[in-house]
Amino acid sequence: MLAWVDECAWIAASIAEPQCRFVTIALNEVRFHHPVRAGTILAFSTEKQHQGTSSVTFRVTVHNAHDTHAAALFVTAVSYTHLRAHETEAD
């Protein structure tokens, strides 16, 4: 599930800054407010929380997709830094 959180935030960062290539630098504390049962369909939402000169942080909120008005299952923040052009030339 945490991989999905990272991917969701990475997609949001890539849409917000399409000219940048991002790598994850931090995934903040994840505290589950409610249990997540196997088979639960999840809805992820993102919101830009901070924009630095070489980094960006997105808040990710996860809900039960069938009950999006209920309290969030958990909320976390994911931070990315963008690679400079010379750091990506080896690709």
Side-chain angles (χ1 to χ4, degrees), residues 12-13 16-17 46-52 55-60:
E17 303 287 338
T46 59
E47 178 183 355
K48 189 186 289 186
Q49 212 174 27
H50 174 74
Q51 176 73 55
S55 66
V56 63
T57 300
F58 278 85
R59 178 181 178 184
V60 180

Side-chain angles (χ1 to χ4, degrees), residues 40-45 61-65 67-74:
T40 301
I41 298 174
L42 303 173
F44 296 81
S45 62
T61 305
V62 181
H63 289 273
N64 181 326
D67 192 7
T68 57
H69 297 299
L73 298 172
F74 69 87

Side-chain angles (χ1 to χ4, degrees), residues 6 9-10 13-14 17 19-26 50-58 78-84 87-88:
D6 184 37
W10 179 85
S14 296
E17 303 287 338
Q19 72 282 6
C20 295
R21 183 164 178 189
F22 291 102
V23 293
T24 307
I25 55 172
H50 174 74
Q51 176 73 55
T53 56
S54 65
S55 66
V56 63
T57 300
F58 278 85
V78 185
S79 299
Y80 299 92
T81 189
H82 70 83
L83 299 177
R84 293 181 293 270
E87 293 174 326
T88 62

Side-chain angles (χ1 to χ4, degrees), residues 25-42:
I25 55 172
L27 177 69
N28 291 1
E29 178 182 69
V30 175
R31 182 173 297 172
F32 288 85
H33 302 291
H34 302 282
V36 180
R37 302 198 193 296
T40 301
I41 298 174
L42 303 173

